[in-house]
Amino acid sequence: MTTVLLVRHGRSTANSSAVLAGWSPGVLLDAYGEQQATKLGERLAAVPLSAVVASPLERCQQTATAVVSARTDELKVETDERLGECRYGDWTGRPIKELLKDPLWKVVQQHPSAVVFPGPEGEALAATQVRAVTAIRDWDARVAEEHGPDAVWMACSHADVIKAVLADALGLHLDLFQRIVVDPCSVSVVRYTETRPFVVRMNDTGGDVSALLPPKKRRRRSRAKDSDAIVGGGAGGPVGSEATASPAGQ
């Protein structure tokens, strides 16, 4: 039951200028985004990450590098193009205030599963979700095989991509993914099990991370499987801890 930290990149120059960056090259973190990434690295320094994987776009690479640089281990940032931003086609690089006037904007808001962005490079939002979820599940299985079921790893990506992954984990139709908020440098947490994903956190920009530490010793679970949802909510506690298998209703 490995745990993935879905991290959005820090605030970029495109974010602060209200431009849809997409796959535009050269979009970096702005000064505030760099501060966010540095603070995130400090927050996560105590979490024993088994892997850090990032979108190939510069703003994600910068954010992931800041996290790795704050650590004492020898982790390196690995890259997976499937975690890259949605390909917005002809919308790429345009000011948000212009896109608001495009009829497609309402479709993006109300029926995103039907959206295919215009132009030869445009991608369907549904296709973005499929590739991103596939990437997360592939890496999750790899981390579990190499580092065991209590491993924690990080994927650094983009807002719409993370929202699509969270919607899938929550069992939501893609048309509902606009209800999810993913702020710059936020951390959302998902645990994948053989039965279902568990969404542990969403859009956390400053919470305590001690609950993300794996248990020091794997203990036998006699009351519930890792993939069981505890009726009544359980007692909470660290990821993978015995507390998650507390008696129903207690």
Side-chain angles (χ1 to χ4, degrees):
M1 191 168 65
T2 54
T3 300
V4 56
L5 313 184
L6 301 171
V7 171
R8 183 185 172 191
H9 60 80
R11 194 177 77 177
S12 71
T13 54
N15 295 145
S16 53
S17 58
V19 170
L20 184 63
W23 282 74
S24 299
V27 177
L28 306 176
L29 301 182
D30 66 11
Y32 183 67
E34 291 177 349
Q35 294 176 15
Q36 289 178 313
T38 298
K39 290 180 180 179
L40 177 65
E42 294 170 354
R43 283 183 65 206
L44 298 181
V47 180
L49 298 176
S50 296
V52 173
V53 189
S55 155
L57 297 173
E58 292 100 322
R59 51 201 186 272
C60 286
Q61 291 286 320
Q62 285 180 283
T63 303
T65 297
V67 171
V68 168
S69 297
R71 308 180 64 80
T72 57
D73 51 30
E74 298 182 355
L75 267 184
K76 295 182 179 180
V77 178
E78 302 191 64
T79 302
D80 192 325
E81 187 166 312
R82 296 174 296 176
L83 297 178
E85 180 65 283
C86 177
R87 294 186 182 274
Y88 296 114
D90 293 347
W91 277 27
T92 302
R94 293 177 58 190
I96 298 297
K97 65 181 181 180
E98 289 183 7
L99 298 176
L100 286 168
K101 303 173 185 177
D102 192 313
L104 185 61
W105 182 270
K106 287 186 177 180
V107 185
V108 172
Q109 300 301 314
Q110 299 173 9
H111 192 21
S113 66
V115 169
V116 179
F117 288 98
E121 300 297 324
E123 182 179 31
L125 271 170
T128 303
Q129 183 182 48
V130 169
R131 65 168 163 85
V133 171
T134 300
I136 294 297
R137 288 183 175 271
D138 285 351
W139 277 100
D140 203 72
R142 174 176 167 180
V143 169
E145 182 177 358
E146 294 180 1
H147 301 281
D150 291 323
V152 182
W153 65 284
M154 182 185 118
C156 186
S157 189
H158 307 266
D160 282 348
V161 178
I162 294 173
K163 286 163 61 175
V165 172
L166 288 171
D168 173 79
L170 290 165
L172 295 177
H173 195 281
L174 185 60
D175 285 346
L176 301 178
F177 98 134
Q178 299 291 24
R179 301 183 182 194
I180 299 170
V181 175
V182 175
D183 290 324
C185 247
S186 64
V187 178
S188 298
V189 181
V190 180
R191 296 201 310 266
Y192 288 94
T193 75
E194 62 182 6
T195 303
R196 64 176 66 82
F198 289 96
V199 177
V200 180
R201 296 189 187 192
M202 293 175 62
N203 200 38
D204 177 357
T205 56
D208 176 54
V209 297
S210 60
L212 302 178
L213 301 178
K216 292 183 179 180
K217 184 178 180 181
R218 187 81 169 174
R219 291 180 287 180
R220 184 180 174 214
R221 290 166 171 78
S222 59
R223 297 183 182 274
K225 298 189 300 181
D226 286 342
S227 56
D228 285 349
I230 304 304
V231 179
V239 172
S241 71
E242 190 70 21
T244 61
S246 60
Q250 289 192 357

